[in-house]
Amino acid sequence: MPSAKIVGTGSYVPARVLTNADLEKLVDTSDEWIVTRTGISQRHVASDEEATSDLAYHAARGALAAAGLDPADLDMILVATATPDMFFPSTACIVQDRLGARRAGALDISAACSGFIYGAGVANGLIRAGTARTVLLVGAETLTKVVNWQDRNTCVLFGDGAGAVVLRSVEEERGILSVHLYSDGSKGPLLMLPGGGSRHPMSQAVLDSGMTKIQMNSGNEVFKLAVRAMEDAALTALKQNGFDVGDVDFIITHQANMRIISALGQRLGLPDRKVVANLQRVGNTSAASIPLALDEAVRDGRVQPGHLVLLCAFGGGLTWASALIRW
Ligand code: UT7
C-alpha cells in the first residue's frame, strides 16, 4: 500500500498585527494577563478585503513551490476551516479556481481546531486507497471576523492565518504513519458559533443575541479536557506504531495556550526543545495553527528528513486527534 508523504509546506499570515497593548484599548485586559495566562503577545488580523480563501491561496502557493509542483498536478484540495468564505461554494472550490487546479476535486473539512489533522486523515485515506496521488491540504482561518470584540474571554485569544502541505503517494513507509480521530458532540456547547445556520437562521434577533460570534463557555474546562485528550491521542499514536516518547523528535500541537502546550509536553516527558510553539506571535489560529507551526519548523531547519513528528489537536465539536509522521 502506498504512503502519504508531505513533500512541501507553506504558510501565510495577514500583514496587520494586533498587539496585546492594542487590545488593552479595546477591552478590560492587560498584556500581563494575556501573556501569563496564554503566552500570546500578538496576532495577525485579516483586512476587510481578505477572506479565508485568500489566506489559503497564499499558503497553498508556498507549499506547491516548496514541493516543486504545479496546481495541475493536484488530484484533491482539502481546506480545513471553521471560518469559510461562505456556506457554499466551499472554500476549497474557491482555492481550486484561484490556483487553476483543473484536475482537482475540492472539499472543506469542518472539525474546528482539529481540522488540519482530520484533513490529514482524509488525505491519508485517499492516497492509501489509490483514489488520489497528490493532495493539497490547507488549514485556514479568519477567526477575527467572528470574534466578539467586547468579550475579553475570547477576543484576546484568536488570530488569522493559513498553513498548507502537499502530500504525495510514495512507495515507502514514509510520511503519515497513522491518524487517530475522536469526537464528543455532547460537549459541543463549550465552544461554538451557533448563529446563522439552519438552527438559528440569520435574523436581526440572532445578530443582536451575539450568536454569530464565537462563544466559549468555561475556558478552564476546555483547558483541562484539551490536555487530557491530547495526551491520550498522543500515547495511542505512539503505542500503535511501536514507539516510545523518547523516539519523538518534535511534537506540534494545536496552538491554543502555551500552558496547554507545556502541560502536554511535561505529561508526556518531552523536553522543551522538542515542543514547537509559535502562538506567541500568531495567537490561536484554529485549523491553521498546526500547519503554520509546522511550516516554520521545516523552513528554519528544525524538522529534518527521518524525524518522527507527532501532531496533536483539540477543539470545538468537541474534536481531538493525533497523527504520527516519519518526515
Ligand atoms: O482552540 C480551541 C480550544 N480552546 C482552548 O483550548 C482554550 C482553552 N482555555 C484557555 O486557554 C484558558 O482557559 C483561558 C486562556 C481561556 C483562560 O485562562 P484561565 O486560567 O482558565 O482563566 P479563567 O477562565 O479561570 O479566568 C480567570 C479570570 C476570570 O476572572 P475571575 O472570575 O477570576 O474574577 C476572568 O474573568 O480571568 C478573567 N479574564 C480576564 N482578565 C483579563 C478572562 N479573560 C480575561 C482577559 N483579561 N482577557
Side-chain angles (χ1 to χ4, degrees):
M1 198 184 278
S3 300
K5 183 181 175 194
I6 295 176
V7 293
T9 66
S11 61
Y12 177 81
V13 287
R16 188 178 156 215
V17 169
L18 189 72
T19 64
N20 291 351
D22 296 327
L23 281 164
E24 286 176 353
K25 293 174 202 139
L26 284 179
V27 284
D28 179 16
T29 191
S30 65
D31 175 55
E32 199 258 332
W33 190 96
I34 302 171
V35 169
T36 52
R37 294 295 183 130
T38 71
I40 299 165
S41 294
Q42 62 168 54
R43 65 289 293 142
H44 291 257
V45 177
S47 68
D48 290 346
E49 291 72 38
E50 278 177 313
T52 296
S53 66
D54 299 317
L55 278 52
Y57 168 78
H58 290 299
R61 293 246 41 132
L64 283 164
L69 292 173
D70 202 68
D73 296 320
L74 297 173
D75 300 312
M76 178 60 89
I77 296 172
L78 303 170
V79 176
T81 185
T83 47
D85 284 24
M86 54 191 81
F87 277 121
F88 64 88
S90 67
T91 304
C93 277
I94 297 168
V95 172
Q96 178 275 331
D97 178 45
R98 189 142 172 220
L99 286 172
R102 306 184 295 283
R103 298 191 312 104
L107 171 73
D108 279 5
I109 308 270
S110 174
C113 305
S114 308
F116 182 77
I117 301 185
Y118 267 71
V122 175
N124 190 39
L126 289 169
I127 287 174
R128 283 188 179 259
T131 308
R133 267 185 54 76
T134 309
V135 178
L136 169 68
L137 168 60
V138 189
E141 304 280 10
T142 48
L143 291 160
T144 64
K145 304 214 183 217
V146 293
V147 151
N148 175 353
W149 290 105
Q150 269 107 52
D151 177 13
R152 70 175 183 173
N153 290 295
T154 51
C155 76
V156 303
L157 304 176
F158 299 104
D160 302 334
V165 298
V166 177
L167 299 115
R168 283 215 113 174
S169 176
V170 294
E171 297 297 331
E172 52 180 325
E173 259 306 290
R174 229 12 194 294
I176 298 178
L177 304 181
S178 69
V179 179
H180 288 87
L181 308 173
Y182 306 93
S183 68
D184 180 0
S186 74
K187 294 198 172 64
L190 282 173
L191 197 55
M192 61 181 179
L193 194 164
S198 62
R199 180 65 63 193
H200 303 288
M202 189 63 79
S203 67
Q204 193 57 50
V206 166
L207 268 178
D208 294 343
S209 71
M211 279 196 282
T212 58
K213 303 292 177 189
I214 293 177
Q215 300 177 352
M216 185 163 65
N217 303 307
S218 185
N220 205 262
E221 190 176 345
V222 177
F223 185 112
K224 287 183 216 148
L225 287 168
V227 176
R228 252 182 274 135
M230 285 197 285
E231 183 186 18
D232 278 356
L235 291 174
T236 303
L238 292 175
K239 191 167 169 214
Q240 182 184 305
N241 291 284
F243 291 117
D244 291 324
V245 170
D247 297 317
V248 174
D249 292 293
F250 287 101
I251 184 168
I252 305 180
T253 76
H254 168 50
Q255 308 278 304
N257 186 319
M258 198 56 224
R259 290 187 296 138
I260 295 179
I261 298 169
S262 301
L264 181 65
Q266 277 161 20
R267 283 168 80 128
L268 291 172
L270 281 164
D272 288 350
R273 69 187 155 78
K274 292 189 171 185
V275 179
V276 175
N278 70 345
L279 86 167
Q280 301 87 336
R281 284 169 278 114
V282 296
N284 178 347
T285 58
S286 189
S289 80
I290 290 177
L292 261 174
L294 175 65
D295 182 50
E296 211 173 288
V298 169
R299 281 175 194 268
D300 68 19
R302 268 175 292 172
V303 172
Q304 291 289 333
H307 276 166
L308 194 62
V309 180
L310 177 58
L311 309 182
C312 299
F314 183 89
L318 298 177
T319 54
W320 62 102
S322 66
L324 198 61
I325 299 172
R326 175 66 75 193
W327 202 261

